[in-house]
């Protein structure tokens, strides 16, 4: 999307900020390669443009959740190493093998499907065995690990697979000092050591996500996977603000005021009249709502910068719009209202919206919908 994007609303994506974040994250883990995670359309920022910017800035891997996301990157002409890890039976295994995508493998069923796809394609599948070291989601349990390793070695001997990586994922790396962190690191080292003793020779071993990249150098191994930090958002307030971590938010979400009008005291605002004007005032109509990803849970609390002042959502967020009480001020119709951005000019941040909605900043940026055009700036 270019600068002619709709005036109703826009998500401005600062590619220079993204590149700077990649540089900062590489400095946190100078001896490891960096995977820029671009799943979920790059956390709402636009996968293809952000992937290119990350690679240009020094990332050497791209990470996606679904194989469809990985294949879309290949179709857009992105080369280099791409990994995906969220598979279901009957997925596009052969297409991924033929596209030289590294396949995250969490159990025997997945390895079997990858091997069958490789046989059908006449290719060698690149697979990465995932260890469940304590997160309890995807990944192979320690008790089942020997069987998976044995099967992977058999596939390697047949020329149908190459184990390119051994990996895992933290449960609580965003909670400094949590006892699970050390326990998972120990389990990961043990499971890697077992696999390597049996004859697995991985190119990369990796467990560090964004918070671990920022705070746990002992977890960096050969590769770090940075998701939310790539986009300039702190993984957790407990780790510090984005600025304190040397990161810059990449997305600025804004909209144009669709209406400004005077209303009397006692006037109900939006569905349910959960907000009633305390006196004569002006209301401003912001033409985005939960269909655009604005959390309804932030009704009455979501912050915006409007008319040069910090305001909050007045009443409920509706599907396509919400109101703010302008306190008698009368900014012009069409004036830009900033919902969140880096905070440089006093505007709220994604973390402010997360606090208002009782969620995390990951969700705030990722949920911004396709009705809001992405406008890429500072791409040179």
């Amino acid at each position: 999307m270019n600068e002619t994007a709709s005036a109703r609303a826009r998500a401005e994506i600062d590619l220079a900020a993204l590149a700077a974040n990649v540089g900062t994250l590489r400095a946190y883990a100078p001896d490891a390669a960096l995977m820029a995670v671009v799943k979920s359309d790059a956390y709402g920022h636009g996968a293809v443009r952000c992937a290119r910017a990350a690679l240009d800035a020094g990332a050497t891997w791209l990470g996606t959740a679904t194989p469809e996301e990985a294949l879309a990157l290949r179709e857009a002409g992105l080369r280099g190493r791409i990994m995906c890890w969220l598979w279901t039976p009957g997925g596009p295994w052969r297409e991924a093998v033929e596209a030289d995508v590294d396949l995250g493998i969490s159990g025997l069923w997945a390895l079997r499907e990858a091997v069958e796809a490789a046989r059908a394609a006449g290719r060698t599948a690149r697979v990465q065995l995932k260890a469940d070291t304590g997160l309890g989601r995807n990944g192979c349990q320690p008790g089942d690990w020997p069987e998976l390793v044995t099967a992977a070695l058999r596939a390697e001997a047949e020329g149908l697979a190459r184990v390119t990586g051994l990996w895992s994922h933290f449960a609580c790396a965003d909670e400094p000092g949590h006892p699970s962190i050390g326990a998972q690191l120990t389990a990961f080292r043990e499971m890697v050591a077992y696999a390597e003793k049996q004859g697995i020779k991985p190119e990369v071993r990796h467990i560090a996500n964004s918070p671990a990249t920022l705070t746990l150098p002992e977890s960096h191994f050969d590769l770090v996977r940075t998701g939310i930090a790539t986009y300039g958002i702190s993984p957790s307030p407990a780790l510090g603000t984005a600025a304190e971590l040397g990161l810059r938010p990449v997305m600025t979400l804004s909209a144009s005021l669709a209406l400004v009008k005077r209303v009397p005291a006692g006037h109900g605002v939006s569905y349910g009249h959960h907000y009633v004007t305390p006196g004569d005032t002006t209301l401003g109509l912001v033409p985005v709502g939960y269909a655009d990803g604005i959390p309804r849970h932030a009704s009455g609390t979501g912050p915006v910068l409007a008319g040069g002042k910090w305001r909050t959502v007045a009443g409920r967020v509706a599907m396509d719009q919400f109101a703010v009480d302008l306190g008698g001020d009368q900014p012009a119709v069409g004036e830009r209202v900033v919902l969140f951005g880096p905070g440089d000019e006093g505007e709220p941040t994604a973390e402010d919206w997360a606090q208002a909605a009782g969620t995390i900043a990951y969700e705030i940026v990722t949920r911004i919908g396709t009705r809001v055009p992405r406008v890429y700036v500072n791409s040179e």
Side-chain angles (χ1 to χ4, degrees):
M1 186 64 64
N2 58 30
E3 296 293 341
T4 61
S6 165
R8 179 184 71 92
R10 58 188 262 164
E12 192 171 280
I13 309 301
D14 185 344
L15 294 177
L18 187 146
N21 294 334
V22 170
T24 296
L25 293 164
R26 291 180 67 201
Y28 272 99
D31 298 323
L34 186 139
M35 175 188 289
V37 179
V38 293
K39 65 180 182 177
S40 190
D41 201 29
Y43 292 58
H45 294 67
V48 172
R49 293 293 297 271
C50 289
R52 287 188 178 132
L55 292 173
D56 288 344
T60 51
W61 288 73
L62 298 173
T64 70
T66 70
E68 291 81 7
E69 291 172 330
L71 292 170
L73 295 176
R74 284 286 191 244
E75 290 166 6
L78 287 158
R79 307 266 62 89
R81 302 302 288 272
I82 300 176
M83 181 182 174
C84 66
W85 47 77
L86 190 59
W87 287 92
T88 52
W93 295 96
R94 178 169 177 172
E95 293 92 330
V97 169
E98 291 175 338
D100 287 327
V101 172
D102 283 58
L103 317 175
I105 301 295
S106 293
L108 280 174
W109 76 265
L111 182 61
R112 291 191 190 106
E113 295 209 13
V115 166
E116 286 306 310
R119 182 176 287 113
R123 302 280 293 271
T124 299
R126 292 206 292 243
V127 301
Q128 299 210 15
L129 308 184
K130 185 176 185 182
D132 183 357
T133 56
L135 179 59
R137 299 189 321 192
N138 234 349
C140 181
Q141 280 282 295
D144 299 323
W145 189 244
E147 187 178 17
L148 182 61
V149 168
T150 298
L153 286 166
R154 188 182 309 117
E156 283 198 329
E158 295 173 6
L160 295 171
R162 166 80 178 96
V163 179
T164 58
L166 302 170
W167 68 296
S168 189
H169 195 61
F170 281 116
C172 303
D174 56 349
E175 300 178 42
H178 195 283
S180 70
I181 297 170
Q184 283 196 255
L185 270 173
T186 297
F188 184 59
R189 290 191 181 103
E190 291 173 350
M191 294 172 81
V192 166
Y194 175 85
E196 292 180 335
K197 185 177 180 181
Q198 300 307 305
I200 299 290
K201 296 179 175 63
E203 297 174 28
V204 288
R205 302 156 299 160
H206 51 108
I207 188 172
N209 53 3
S210 284
T213 300
L214 294 164
T215 65
L216 295 167
E218 64 271 31
S219 73
H220 292 169
F221 293 95
D222 306 305
L223 174 70
V224 295
R225 306 185 308 269
T226 59
I228 197 67
T230 307
Y231 308 102
I233 293 174
S234 171
S236 167
L239 303 182
T241 65
E244 289 168 343
L245 295 169
L247 303 171
R248 181 169 177 78
V250 172
M251 182 188 292
T252 297
L253 179 66
S254 64
S256 298
L257 280 173
L259 181 69
V260 176
K261 63 182 179 183
R262 297 201 63 82
V263 296
H267 201 297
V269 179
S270 196
Y271 294 122
H273 283 184
H274 291 271
Y275 181 80
V276 176
T277 56
D280 292 354
T281 191
T282 46
L283 297 176
L285 188 65
V286 183
V288 288
Y290 58 77
D292 302 292
I294 309 305
R296 190 171 181 270
H297 277 30
S299 295
T301 58
V304 301
L305 186 69
K309 297 178 183 176
W310 186 293
R311 326 276 184 170
T312 54
V313 176
R316 283 185 177 162
V317 173
M319 184 179 291
D320 311 299
Q321 55 197 280
F322 64 83
V324 292
D325 189 334
L326 297 170
D329 295 339
Q330 290 191 286
V333 172
E335 184 170 316
R336 187 177 186 226
V337 173
V338 181
L339 283 77
F340 60 79
D344 296 343
E345 299 176 7
E347 78 274 14
T349 64
E351 180 59 38
D352 291 320
W353 272 87
Q355 295 293 324
T359 185
I360 57 177
Y362 296 66
E363 183 180 356
I364 297 301
V365 291
T366 302
R367 69 188 294 161
I368 301 304
T370 55
R371 290 203 309 187
V372 179
R374 274 58 172 174
V375 180
Y376 296 93
V377 299
N378 300 326
S379 59
E380 296 303 320

